[in-house]
Amino acid sequence: MILALTMRNPIVTIRAARTEEFARLAEIELNAFAVWAKACCVSSQPSSSPQFVLQQSLDQGFLLVAEELGSGRVTGFAAAHVVGRYLHIVEVDVEPDLHGKGIGKALMLSLLEKGRHEGLGGAVLTTDRFAPFNAPFYAKLGFEILTAADVPGFIQERLDSQIASG
């Protein structure tokens, strides 16, 4: 589908990803990591989502890519999976040279709409709220920072694991 309603001048089509695109998705994620690391003064080793995470999202129908109109080049992706009644957004990345063009928003809106269509009760994600672009981006889409009492158990487990690993 082309998201003409969410993008003034559509430059991508949002569609389901394919297994053979996993290497390209890893490349996009590593490129986006470099931007995040620079903005947050992070020096940790870059990594991309494990293939089993992408496969789980694909199997559940929640791995979407942004394909550039004309060239067919994949320029971004969003991965999520269902946990209970939640859509857990796992990763959203866009090639750095295309940031600010509405591609991330189009990917997120597509995921959220698919989650609504599937009857899910809400969407959750974790992000670095101190990165200058993360929290404001998600806030514009309606996400709110949860209090500790409102954090779903599976998200708290993920946070605890991230804290334990540094």
Side-chain angles (χ1 to χ4, degrees):
M1 81 177 103
I2 297 175
L3 292 175
L5 295 176
T6 59
M7 299 178 71
R8 287 195 179 111
N9 298 307
I11 58 173
V12 296
T13 297
I14 306 300
R15 64 164 174 80
R18 297 185 287 261
T19 305
E20 62 268 17
E21 295 171 321
F22 284 7
R24 175 67 180 130
L25 304 187
E27 182 181 319
I28 293 167
E29 187 171 357
L30 292 173
N31 291 343
F33 178 89
V35 172
W36 173 79
K38 183 177 179 180
C40 296
C41 299
V42 173
S43 60
S44 63
Q45 191 67 18
S47 64
S48 60
S49 299
Q51 286 201 0
F52 77 88
V53 171
L54 297 176
Q55 189 64 53
Q56 179 185 19
S57 297
L58 180 67
D59 291 347
Q60 291 186 358
F62 288 102
L63 181 60
L64 304 177
V65 297
E67 182 180 273
E68 196 170 50
L69 292 175
S71 73
R73 182 178 80 123
V74 173
T75 59
F77 76 99
H81 56 262
V82 177
V83 180
R85 292 195 26 81
Y86 291 99
L87 180 63
H88 179 210
I89 312 293
V90 179
E91 193 69 39
V92 180
D93 291 303
V94 173
E95 280 291 358
D97 62 327
L98 294 170
H99 286 180
K101 306 268 188 213
I103 297 169
K105 179 181 178 181
L107 285 162
M108 282 295 296
L109 291 175
S110 294
L111 275 182
L112 296 172
E113 180 56 34
K114 184 162 177 45
R116 274 190 288 278
H117 184 266
E118 298 287 326
L120 299 175
V124 294
L125 56 86
T126 60
T127 190
D128 183 342
R129 66 180 172 189
F130 300 111
F133 38 79
N134 283 16
F137 170 75
Y138 293 116
K140 287 179 187 175
L141 294 172
F143 285 85
E144 299 173 352
I145 296 173
L146 299 176
T147 65
D150 294 328
V151 174
F154 72 94
I155 293 291
Q156 189 60 56
E157 288 173 15
R158 180 179 174 152
L159 292 172
D160 292 344
S161 173
Q162 289 173 341
I163 291 167
S165 69

